[in-house]
Coordinates of all heavy atoms in Angstrom, one line a residue:
Y3 N 165.3 76.9 40.3 CA 166.0 77.8 41.2 C 165.4 78.2 42.5 O 166.0 78.4 43.5 CB 166.3 79.2 40.4 CG 167.3 80.0 41.0 CD1 168.6 79.8 41.0 CD2 166.8 81.2 41.6 CE1 169.5 80.5 41.6 CE2 167.8 82.1 42.3 CZ 169.1 81.8 42.2 OH 170.1 82.5 42.8
Q4 N 164.0 78.0 42.4 CA 163.1 78.3 43.6 C 162.8 77.1 44.4 O 161.8 77.2 45.2 CB 161.8 79.1 43.2 CG 162.2 80.4 42.4 CD 162.9 81.4 43.1 OE1 162.8 81.6 44.3 NE2 163.7 82.2 42.4
E5 N 163.4 76.0 44.2 CA 162.9 74.7 44.8 C 163.0 74.8 46.3 O 163.9 75.3 46.9 CB 163.9 73.6 44.4 CG 163.5 72.2 45.0 CD 164.4 71.1 44.5 OE1 165.1 71.3 43.5 OE2 164.2 70.0 45.1
R6 N 162.0 74.2 47.0 CA 161.9 74.1 48.4 C 162.1 72.6 48.7 O 161.4 71.8 48.2 CB 160.5 74.6 48.9 CG 160.1 75.9 48.4 CD 160.8 77.1 49.0 NE 160.3 78.3 48.6 CZ 160.6 79.5 49.0 NH1 161.6 79.5 50.0 NH2 160.1 80.6 48.7
H7 N 163.0 72.3 49.7 CA 163.1 70.9 50.1 C 162.1 70.4 51.1 O 161.6 71.3 51.9 CB 164.5 70.9 50.8 CG 165.1 69.5 50.9 ND1 164.6 68.7 51.8 CD2 166.0 68.9 50.2 CE1 165.3 67.5 51.7 NE2 166.2 67.7 50.8
P8 N 161.6 69.2 51.0 CA 160.6 68.7 51.8 C 160.8 68.7 53.3 O 160.0 68.7 54.1 CB 160.2 67.4 51.3 CG 161.4 66.9 50.5 CD 161.9 68.3 50.0
K9 N 162.1 68.7 53.6 CA 162.6 68.6 55.0 C 163.0 70.0 55.5 O 163.7 70.1 56.5 CB 163.7 67.7 55.2 CG 163.2 66.2 54.9 CD 164.3 65.2 55.2 CE 163.8 63.7 55.0 NZ 164.9 62.8 55.3
R10 N 162.5 71.1 54.8 CA 163.0 72.4 55.2 C 162.4 72.8 56.7 O 161.5 72.2 57.1 CB 162.4 73.5 54.2 CG 161.0 73.5 54.2 CD 160.6 74.5 53.0 NE 159.2 74.8 52.8 CZ 158.4 73.9 52.1 NH1 158.9 73.0 51.5 NH2 157.1 74.1 52.0
V11 N 163.2 73.6 57.4 CA 162.9 74.0 58.7 C 161.7 75.0 58.7 O 160.8 75.0 59.5 CB 164.1 74.6 59.4 CG1 163.7 75.1 60.8 CG2 165.1 73.5 59.6
N12 N 161.8 76.0 57.8 CA 160.7 77.0 57.7 C 160.3 77.1 56.2 O 161.0 76.7 55.3 CB 161.2 78.3 58.3 CG 162.5 78.8 57.7 OD1 162.3 79.3 56.6 ND2 163.5 78.8 58.5
A13 N 159.2 77.8 56.2 CA 158.5 77.9 54.8 C 159.3 78.7 53.8 O 159.3 78.5 52.5 CB 157.1 78.4 54.9
S14 N 160.1 79.7 54.2 CA 160.8 80.6 53.4 C 162.2 80.0 53.0 O 162.9 80.7 52.3 CB 161.0 81.9 54.0 OG 161.7 81.8 55.2
E15 N 162.4 78.8 53.4 CA 163.8 78.2 53.3 C 163.9 77.7 51.9 O 163.2 76.8 51.4 CB 164.2 77.2 54.3 CG 165.5 76.7 54.4 CD 165.7 75.8 55.6 OE1 165.9 76.3 56.7 OE2 165.8 74.5 55.4
Y16 N 164.9 77.9 51.1 CA 165.3 77.3 49.7 C 166.0 76.1 49.9 O 166.6 75.8 51.0 CB 166.0 78.4 48.9 CG 165.2 79.5 48.4 CD1 165.5 80.8 48.8 CD2 164.1 79.3 47.5 CE1 164.6 81.9 48.4 CE2 163.5 80.4 47.1 CZ 163.6 81.6 47.5 OH 162.8 82.8 47.1
A17 N 166.0 75.3 48.9 CA 166.6 74.0 48.9 C 168.1 74.0 49.3 O 168.5 73.2 50.2 CB 166.5 73.2 47.7
E18 N 168.8 75.0 48.9 CA 170.3 75.0 49.2 C 170.5 75.3 50.6 O 171.5 74.8 51.3 CB 171.0 76.1 48.4 CG 170.6 77.5 48.6 CD 169.5 78.0 47.8 OE1 168.8 77.1 47.1 OE2 169.3 79.2 47.6
E19 N 169.6 76.0 51.3 CA 169.7 76.2 52.7 C 169.5 74.9 53.5 O 170.3 74.6 54.5 CB 168.7 77.2 53.1 CG 169.1 78.7 52.5 CD 167.9 79.7 52.9 OE1 168.1 80.4 54.0 OE2 167.0 79.9 52.3
T20 N 168.4 74.3 53.1 CA 168.1 73.0 53.8 C 169.2 71.9 53.7 O 169.6 71.3 54.5 CB 166.8 72.4 53.2 OG1 165.8 73.3 53.3 CG2 166.3 71.2 54.0
I21 N 169.7 71.8 52.4 CA 170.7 70.9 52.2 C 172.0 71.2 52.9 O 172.7 70.4 53.4 CB 171.0 70.8 50.6 CG1 169.8 70.1 49.9 CG2 172.3 70.0 50.3 CD1 169.8 70.1 48.5
C22 N 172.3 72.5 53.0 CA 173.5 73.0 53.7 C 173.5 72.6 55.1 O 174.4 72.0 55.7 CB 173.6 74.5 53.5 SG 175.0 75.2 54.4
N23 N 172.3 72.8 55.7 CA 172.1 72.5 57.2 C 172.2 71.0 57.4 O 172.7 70.5 58.4 CB 170.8 73.0 57.7 CG 170.8 74.6 57.8 OD1 171.8 75.2 58.0 ND2 169.6 75.2 57.5
Q24 N 171.7 70.2 56.3 CA 171.7 68.8 56.6 C 173.3 68.3 56.6 O 173.6 67.4 57.4 CB 171.0 68.0 55.5 CG 169.4 68.2 55.5 CD 168.7 67.7 54.4 OE1 169.2 67.5 53.3 NE2 167.5 67.3 54.6
H25 N 174.0 68.8 55.7 CA 175.4 68.5 55.6 C 176.2 69.0 56.9 O 177.2 68.4 57.4 CB 176.1 69.1 54.4 CG 175.8 68.2 53.2 ND1 174.7 68.5 52.4 CD2 176.4 67.2 52.6 CE1 174.7 67.5 51.4 NE2 175.7 66.7 51.5
I26 N 175.8 70.1 57.5 CA 176.5 70.6 58.6 C 176.2 69.6 59.8 O 177.1 69.2 60.6 CB 175.9 72.0 59.1 CG1 176.4 73.0 58.2 CG2 176.2 72.3 60.5 CD1 175.9 74.5 58.3
E27 N 175.0 69.1 59.9 CA 174.7 68.0 61.0 C 175.4 66.7 60.6 O 175.9 66.1 61.6 CB 173.2 67.6 61.0 CG 172.3 68.9 61.4 CD 172.9 69.4 62.9 OE1 173.1 68.5 63.7 OE2 173.1 70.5 63.1
K28 N 175.7 66.4 59.4 CA 176.4 65.1 59.1 C 177.8 65.4 59.4 O 178.5 64.4 60.0 CB 176.3 64.9 57.5 CG 175.0 64.3 57.1 CD 174.9 64.2 55.6 CE 173.6 63.6 55.2 NZ 173.6 63.4 53.7
I29 N 178.4 66.6 59.2 CA 179.8 66.7 59.6 C 180.1 66.8 61.1 O 181.0 66.2 61.6 CB 180.3 68.1 58.9 CG1 180.3 68.0 57.4 CG2 181.7 68.5 59.4 CD1 180.5 69.3 56.6
K30 N 179.1 67.4 61.7 CA 179.2 67.5 63.2 C 179.2 66.0 63.8 O 180.0 65.6 64.7 CB 178.0 68.2 63.8 CG 178.1 69.7 63.7 CD 176.8 70.4 64.4 CE 177.0 71.9 64.4 NZ 175.8 72.5 64.9
R31 N 178.3 65.1 63.1 CA 178.3 63.8 63.6 C 179.5 63.0 63.5 O 180.0 62.3 64.3 CB 177.1 63.0 62.9 CG 176.8 61.7 63.4 CD 175.7 61.1 62.6 NE 175.3 59.7 63.2 CZ 175.9 58.6 62.9 NH1 176.9 58.5 62.0 NH2 175.5 57.5 63.4
L32 N 180.1 63.3 62.2 CA 181.4 62.6 62.0 C 182.6 63.1 62.9 O 183.3 62.3 63.5 CB 181.9 62.8 60.7 CG 181.1 62.2 59.4 CD1 181.6 62.8 58.1 CD2 181.2 60.8 59.5
L33 N 182.6 64.4 63.2 CA 183.5 64.9 64.1 C 183.3 64.4 65.7 O 184.2 64.2 66.4 CB 183.5 66.4 64.2 CG 184.0 67.0 62.8 CD1 183.8 68.5 62.7 CD2 185.3 66.6 62.4
L34 N 182.0 64.3 65.9 CA 181.7 63.8 67.3 C 182.1 62.4 67.5 O 182.6 62.0 68.5 CB 180.1 64.0 67.6 CG 179.7 65.4 67.8 CD1 178.2 65.4 67.8 CD2 180.2 65.9 69.2
I35 N 181.8 61.6 66.4 CA 182.3 60.1 66.4 C 183.9 60.1 66.7 O 184.4 59.3 67.4 CB 181.8 59.5 65.1 CG1 180.4 59.2 65.1 CG2 182.7 58.1 65.0 CD1 179.8 58.7 63.9
R36 N 184.5 60.9 65.9 CA 186.0 60.9 66.1 C 186.4 61.4 67.6 O 187.4 60.7 68.2 CB 186.7 61.9 65.1 CG 188.2 61.9 65.2 CD 188.9 62.6 64.0 NE 188.5 64.0 63.9 CZ 189.1 64.8 63.1 NH1 189.9 64.4 62.2 NH2 188.8 66.2 63.1

């Protein structure tokens, strides 16, 4: 439950926050391509 993602932006960021931000960037990329 307390997992930290290795690609987190800051030390206090939990894994779900990091993964969420990664998916936001993926979605932005898809929409920009369109």
